[in-house]
Amino acid sequence: MRPRLAVQEAGRALGYPIGRIREMTRHIHHHEPPAPDADVPADVRELAAQLHKLPRHLGVHSGGMVLTRQPIGEIMPWSGPPPKAARSCRATRTMWPQQA
């Protein structure tokens, strides 16, 4: 998560009003953490530092669905869920042949 977004999310999570969050993030660049003299409260700064290390979105995008009477492996190559998927993820990835 980029530093500016991390400060915004931390401010929201800690209940700061949106106007105050805008003031905190106004001078923060997207790729640089807030300067030590920036007007960011200590609790927001601490939580934002933790959030900065996390990815913004976690999920599997469904590119489409395949409905078939036969097992999918008899129709096309496939693989199971992505290696880092959550335990609740039961996605099956198919590998469609690319058309020229």
Side-chain angles (χ1 to χ4, degrees):
M1 186 177 296
R2 294 183 177 173
R4 184 175 183 162
L5 183 58
V7 171
Q8 288 175 347
E9 294 297 322
R12 288 183 190 144
L14 294 169
Y16 284 87
I18 192 69
R20 178 68 178 107
I21 293 170
R22 285 188 188 125
E23 290 173 17
M24 286 186 246
T25 59
R26 183 173 295 140
H27 300 291
I28 298 174
H29 298 285
H30 291 285
H31 299 287
E32 299 174 18
D37 61 339
D39 184 24
V40 179
D43 58 345
V44 173
R45 190 179 291 270
E46 183 180 328
L47 182 56
Q50 294 173 27
L51 293 175
H52 176 63
K53 299 173 187 172
L54 300 175
R56 175 69 172 131
H57 299 286
L58 295 174
V60 176
H61 177 268
S62 172
M65 298 184 75
V66 178
L67 302 176
T68 176
R69 292 177 193 260
Q70 301 114 315
I72 193 77
E74 293 179 9
I75 298 172
M76 67 182 64
W78 66 279
S79 66
K84 293 185 178 182
R87 289 184 181 184
S88 62
C89 178
R90 296 197 175 147
T92 298
R93 296 179 294 164
T94 60
M95 291 157 260
W96 292 90
Q98 294 191 5
Q99 299 178 2

